[in-house]
C-alpha cells in the first residue's frame, strides 16, 4: 500500500500557519465564496477628513483671498451620472425626451450662479473594465437589460405603459453609454439655446458651447479622474473659484491631493438638498500637511476602494488611526504607490509593517508571519480575524498600486497605463478577477494528507475521497479498520507486488552473501 509522507505538525504550525492561509480563500480580504470584500463604508473617510478638529487656528485666519470678487470666474464641475441618479422622477416624465428636459432644467437651475458648468460622465464603452465586479455587486442580483435610448423610449412608472424604472434603465453598461451620449447632446443643445457656457465630457469626448475643448478628449474611464482633469484645466484657464459637486469619496481624496495645483477657493460639495455640505479644501490640506496629503490616494487604495477591496473587520476609521500613527517611511510608501511601474521591495516591506500596526497597534512586530502566529497563539484568532499572509497582502498591494497609478494620471487626458494582469488581477473570459494569493494554502505534505471514511463501502467509487483525489488508501483510512477482513478496492496492488519483489530480492541477495561467506 502507498504510504503518504506526513510532516510533523509542530514544525508546520508556526512556519506554515504564519506563511500560509490553511484555507482556499484568504478570509482577511475575501468572502467565503471567493468574492472580494467590498468597502461598504468608504464615505467614512470623508467624515474623518471633514472634522474640524485641530483646525481652529486655520478657521480663524482671514479669508480675504478666498472671497469671490466681481469679475472672478466661478466654475462648477459636476458628476453627471450622480446627477442623473439623484433626479426626482416625477409623473410627467414618460420618455427619454422628458428625462433629458428634466435633467437640463435641473442642471441649469442648480448651477445658475456659476459662470461655467462642466458636466462630467463616466465612460461605459470600455470592453474589459475592472469595475465589472463592483457593478455586479451593486446590482445585487438584478439582471441587466440593454435598452435603446431614443426620444420616445418609454420610462414611465404608470402600470399600463412599457415600464423601464430608473434603476433598471441604468443597470446595463450599454444603456448607460447610450444615455450619457444622449444627455450630453441635449445638454449642449439647450446650453447653446440659452447662451450658457457649458462643457460636457462623455465617452472619450469633450465638447463645449463656447469654445473648442477637444484638447480634453480623454480615454480615462472614470468621472473621478476626469473631474480633476477639468479642475486643473479650469484653474489654468483663469478660474478663481471652483466647486466640485460629487458624492464620491474618491473624488474628494483626489481633489485634496491636487489642491496645490488648484485655485485657492476650491471646495467640494456633497449631499442632497438642505443636507448638502460645502467643504473647503485648504484648511484640510494645511492641517494634514504636505506628506500625508500626498499619501491620501495611496491610503485610500490600501484601506479600501471600489476595486481594491478592504481588510475584513477593519473599517476606514481603524485604518486612519494606523495611518496617523505611522512613521515617515509608511507615509512615504503610500505616497509612492502608483509612481513606479511596479511596487518596489521597500514598499512591500513598509506596508506590511503598517498592516501589522493596523491589526495590533503599537506592536514592534513587522512581519505578518510572526503576527499571525502571535494572534493565533495568544488570542486564538482565526479566519477573517487574522491579518493576511504575506502572499495575499502582496497581491492586494499590487491592486492598490495599480489603482493609485490610475489616480496619479488624473490630470493626463490619455494616460499610457499597463494591463492589470501583473497587478493582482487575472483575466477570466470577459472580466478581470482578483488574484487571492499565488501561494498554495498549505504545504504539499498537508495537501496530500487525504484519508477516507468509507468503511464497508470498500472504496469502490468516487465517493471515496482518496480515489477522488487520485490516491490509494492508507492505514489511516477507515477502510483499513474493517472487522470483516475484506480488502479495500482502492489498493495499489502493483506497489504491493513491487514491495514483495524487492523483499524477495533482498532475501536472495542475503542468501548469496551467506553462501559466499561460508
Amino acid at each position: 500500500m502507498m504510504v503518504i509522507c506526513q510532516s510533523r505538525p509542530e514544525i508546520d504550525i508556526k512556519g506554515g500557519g504564519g506563511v500560509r492561509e490553511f484555507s482556499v480563500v484568504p478570509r482577511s480580504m475575501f468572502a467565503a465564496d471567493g468574492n472580494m470584500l467590498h468597502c461598504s463604508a468608504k464615505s467614512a473617510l470623508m467624515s474623518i477628513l471633514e472634522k474640524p478638529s485641530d483646525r481652529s487656528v486655520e478657521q480663524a485666519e482671514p479669508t480675504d483671498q478666498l472671497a469671490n470678487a466681481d469679475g472672478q470666474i466661478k466654475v462648477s464641475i459636476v458628476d453627471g451620472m450622480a446627477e442623473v441618479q439623484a433626479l426626482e422622477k416625477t409623473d410627467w416624465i414618460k420618455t427619454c425626451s422628458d428625462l433629458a428636459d428634466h435633467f437640463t432644467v435641473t442642471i441649469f437651475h442648480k448651477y445658475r450662479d456659476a459662470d461655467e458648468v462642466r458636466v462630467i460622465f463616466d465612460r461605459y464603452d470600455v470592453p474589459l473594465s475592472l469595475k465589472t465586479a463592483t457593478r455586479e455587486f451593486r446590482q445585487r442580483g438584478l439582471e441587466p437589460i440593454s435598452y435603446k435610448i431614443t426620444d420616445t423610449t418609454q420610462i414611465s412608472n404608470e402600470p399600463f405603459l412599457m415600464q423601464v424604472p430608473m434603476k433598471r434603465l441604468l443597470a446595463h453598461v450599454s444603456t448607460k453609454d447610450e444615455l450619457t451620449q444622449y444627455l450630453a447632446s441635449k445638454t449642449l443643445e439647450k446650453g447653446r439655446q440659452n447662451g450658457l457656457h457649458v462643457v460636457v465630457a462623455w465617452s472619450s469626448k469633450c465638447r463645449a458651447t463656447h469654445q473648442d475643448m477637444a484638447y480634453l478628449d480623454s480615454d480615462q474611464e472614470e468621472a473621478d479622474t476626469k473631474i480633476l482633469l477639468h479642475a486643473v484645466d479650469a484653474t489654468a484657464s483663469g478660474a478663481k473659484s471652483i466647486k466640485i459637486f460629487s458624492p464620491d469619496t474618491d473624488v474628494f481624496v483626489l481633489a485634496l491631493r491636487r489642491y496645490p495645483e488648484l485655485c485657492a477657493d476650491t471646495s467640494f460639495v456633497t449631499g442632497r438638498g438642505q443636507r448638502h455640505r460645502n467643504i473647503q479644501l485648504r484648511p484640510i490640506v494645511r492641517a494634514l500637511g504636505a506628506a500625508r496629503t500626498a499619501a491620501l490616494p495611496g491610503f485610500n487604495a490600501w484601506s479600501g476602494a471600489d476595486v481594491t477591496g478592504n481588510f475584513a473587520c477593519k473599517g476606514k476609521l481603524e485604518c486612519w488611526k494606523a495611518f496617523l500613527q505611522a512613521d515617515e517611511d509608511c507615509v512615504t510608501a503610500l505616497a509612492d504607490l502608483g509612481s513606479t511601474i511596479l511596487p518596489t521591495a521597500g514598499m512591500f516591506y513598509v506596508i506590511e509593517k503598517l498592516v501589522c500596526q493596523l491589526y495590533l497597534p503599537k506592536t514592534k512586530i513587522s512581519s505578518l508571519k510572526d503576527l499571525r502566529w502571535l494572534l493565533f497563539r495568544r488570542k486564538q484568532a482565526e479566519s477573517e480575524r487574522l491579518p493576511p499572509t504575506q502572499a495575499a497582502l502582496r497581491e492586494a498591494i499590487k491592486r492598490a498600486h495599480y489603482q493609485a497609478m490610475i489616480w496619479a494620471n488624473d490630470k493626463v487626458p490619455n494616460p499610457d497605463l499597463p494591463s492589470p494582469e501583473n497587478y493582482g488581477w487575472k483575466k477570466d473570459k470577459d472580466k478581470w478577477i482578483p488574484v487571492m494569493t499565488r501561494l498554495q494554502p498549505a504545504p504539499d505534505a498537508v495537501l496530500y494528507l487525504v484519508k477516507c471514511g468509507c468503511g464497508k463501502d470498500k472504496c469502490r467509487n468516487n465517493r471515496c475521497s482518496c480515489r477522488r483525489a487520485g490516491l490509494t488508501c492508507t492505514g489511516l483510512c477507515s477502510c483499513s479498520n474493517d472487522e470483516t477482513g475484506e480488502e479495500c478496492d482502492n489498493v495499489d496492488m502493483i506497489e504491493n507486488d513491487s514491495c514483495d519483489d524487492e523483499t524477495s530480492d533482498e532475501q536472495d541477495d542475503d542468501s548469496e552473501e551467506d553462501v559466499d561467506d561460508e
Side-chain angles (χ1 to χ4, degrees):
M1 182 177 290
M2 184 182 77
V3 179
I4 302 173
C5 179
Q6 300 178 49
S7 59
R8 295 173 57 196
E10 61 267 26
I11 293 176
D12 273 342
I13 285 179
K14 182 174 181 181
V19 174
R20 301 175 189 264
E21 299 287 345
F22 279 93
S23 170
V24 175
V25 176
R27 295 301 304 279
S28 55
M29 288 178 289
F30 292 84
D33 61 3
N35 286 320
M36 184 188 290
L37 294 176
H38 290 273
C39 189
S40 58
K42 193 172 63 171
S43 60
L45 180 58
M46 191 182 300
S47 300
I48 293 168
L49 291 168
E50 181 180 3
K51 286 180 181 177
S53 57
D54 301 326
R55 292 206 288 270
S56 55
V57 175
E58 176 65 32
Q59 290 177 336
E61 286 184 0
T63 56
D64 300 351
Q65 55 184 311
L66 300 182
N68 289 324
D70 292 339
Q72 292 186 333
I73 302 172
K74 294 179 288 185
V75 177
S76 290
I77 305 176
V78 183
D79 185 328
M81 185 51 69
E83 291 292 335
V84 173
Q85 293 170 336
L87 283 177
E88 295 183 5
K89 194 162 169 286
T90 56
D91 293 339
W92 64 270
I93 299 176
K94 303 185 186 302
T95 65
C96 282
S97 179
D98 296 335
L99 179 66
D101 289 339
H102 186 35
F103 177 78
T104 53
V105 168
T106 299
I107 291 291
F108 296 151
H109 176 75
K110 188 174 179 179
Y111 305 108
R112 61 189 180 278
D113 292 335
D115 299 304
E116 181 180 272
V117 179
R118 300 195 182 200
V119 182
I120 315 298
F121 288 105
D122 292 280
R123 274 188 70 190
Y124 298 102
D125 57 349
V126 179
L128 199 60
S129 172
L130 290 179
K131 296 190 70 174
T132 300
T134 303
R135 288 165 180 159
E136 291 175 352
F137 173 77
R138 289 173 177 171
Q139 288 165 5
R140 300 186 187 277
L142 180 67
E143 187 66 28
I145 300 174
S146 178
Y147 294 93
K148 186 69 177 176
I149 301 299
T150 66
D151 285 342
T152 57
T153 300
Q154 295 285 339
I155 54 174
S156 173
N157 281 330
E158 295 182 14
F160 299 107
L161 292 176
M162 185 188 301
Q163 292 190 23
V164 186
M166 185 63 76
K167 186 175 181 180
R168 182 168 290 280
L169 184 69
L170 298 177
H172 200 288
V173 291
S174 177
T175 307
K176 283 184 177 180
D177 184 38
E178 287 194 27
L179 184 63
T180 53
Q181 293 182 50
Y182 179 79
L183 292 177
S185 174
K186 295 293 184 180
T187 302
L188 290 169
E189 179 184 334
K190 293 295 176 68
R192 292 189 185 97
Q193 291 174 2
N194 290 280
L196 301 175
H197 287 191
V198 181
V199 180
V200 185
W202 77 100
S203 186
S204 57
K205 299 177 182 177
C206 181
R207 299 293 181 267
T209 57
H210 56 295
Q211 66 181 88
D212 182 8
M213 299 289 287
Y215 67 92
L216 287 183
D217 284 355
S218 171
D219 60 10
Q220 294 179 11
E221 180 180 357
E222 297 189 68
D224 302 9
T225 50
K226 283 187 180 181
I227 285 173
L228 271 299
L229 172 68
H230 281 262
V232 172
D233 177 74
T235 301
S237 299
K240 299 301 180 184
S241 173
I242 296 176
K243 288 185 177 181
I244 298 172
F245 293 81
S246 173
D248 198 330
T249 303
D250 294 344
V251 180
F252 183 49
V253 167
L254 296 182
L256 288 169
R257 191 266 303 274
R258 285 295 174 210
Y259 179 75
E261 301 173 61
L262 305 178
C263 66
D265 184 15
T266 299
S267 59
F268 185 84
V269 186
T270 190
R272 297 183 181 182
Q274 298 298 319
R275 299 179 61 186
H276 79 277
R277 310 189 306 279
N278 189 343
I279 308 169
Q280 283 288 339
L281 301 186
R282 190 176 75 152
I284 300 174
V285 170
R286 295 192 61 175
L288 284 175
R292 279 190 165 78
T293 299
L296 276 178
F299 165 80
N300 194 33
W302 165 76
S303 60
D306 286 342
V307 300
T308 60
N310 69 299
F311 299 102
C313 309
K314 299 295 178 184
K316 284 287 187 182
L317 180 57
E318 288 179 279
C319 293
W320 182 254
K321 289 178 180 177
F323 177 61
L324 290 182
Q325 296 299 320
D327 58 27
E328 184 179 342
D329 288 345
C330 290
V331 175
T332 301
L334 291 177
D336 287 343
L337 281 177
S339 64
T340 55
I341 298 299
L342 289 170
T344 64
M347 290 179 196
F348 285 121
Y349 171 75
V350 173
I351 294 176
E352 180 180 352
K353 182 172 68 172
L354 179 60
V355 174
C356 290
Q357 293 293 328
L358 172 64
Y359 280 84
L360 190 63
K362 299 182 180 179
T363 183
K364 295 182 179 179
I365 296 175
S366 59
S367 166
L368 284 172
K369 178 183 71 172
D370 296 337
L371 183 61
R372 280 170 61 86
W373 171 237
L374 175 70
L375 294 178
F376 177 77
R377 180 165 53 89
R378 288 189 179 178
K379 301 186 177 182
Q380 294 298 297
E382 53 184 296
S383 193
E384 66 269 13
R385 295 288 176 180
L386 282 173
T389 59
Q390 290 173 326
L393 179 64
R394 188 177 186 86
E395 300 305 317
I397 292 174
K398 289 179 185 178
R399 287 190 289 273
H401 186 84
Y402 191 77
Q403 181 60 66
M405 189 184 298
I406 293 173
W407 285 338
N409 284 275
D410 54 4
K411 62 178 186 177
V412 180
N414 299 287
D416 183 17
L417 296 171
S419 167
E421 200 156 8
N422 294 321
Y423 296 89
W425 296 94
K426 61 182 178 180
K427 193 181 298 183
D428 182 25
K429 296 179 181 178
D430 59 344
K431 64 181 179 181
W432 292 103
I433 60 173
V435 176
M436 292 186 283
T437 176
R438 297 186 186 275
L439 188 66
Q440 287 184 319
D444 288 343
V446 176
L447 289 176
Y448 288 103
L449 186 59
V450 179
K451 66 175 183 175
C452 71
C454 297
K456 295 181 181 180
D457 286 344
K458 300 303 171 193
C459 312
R460 294 186 178 94
N461 52 47
N462 279 340
R463 284 183 295 181
C464 170
S465 55
C466 293
R467 183 185 288 272
R468 191 165 59 248
L471 302 172
T472 54
C473 293
T474 71
L476 296 174
C477 300
S478 297
C479 57
S480 67
N481 299 321
D482 194 331
E483 296 176 357
T484 64
E486 294 182 22
E487 194 165 0
C488 163
D489 282 3
N490 190 35
V491 177
D492 194 339
M493 300 305 296
I494 296 176
E495 290 200 10
N496 287 341
D497 293 343
S498 63
C499 289
D500 293 340
D501 291 342
E502 289 175 5
T503 304
S504 300
D505 291 341
E506 289 175 1
Q507 291 176 347
D508 292 342
D509 291 340
D510 292 339
S511 300
E512 291 176 3
E513 289 176 2
D514 292 341
V515 171
D516 291 338
D517 289 338
E518 290 178 357

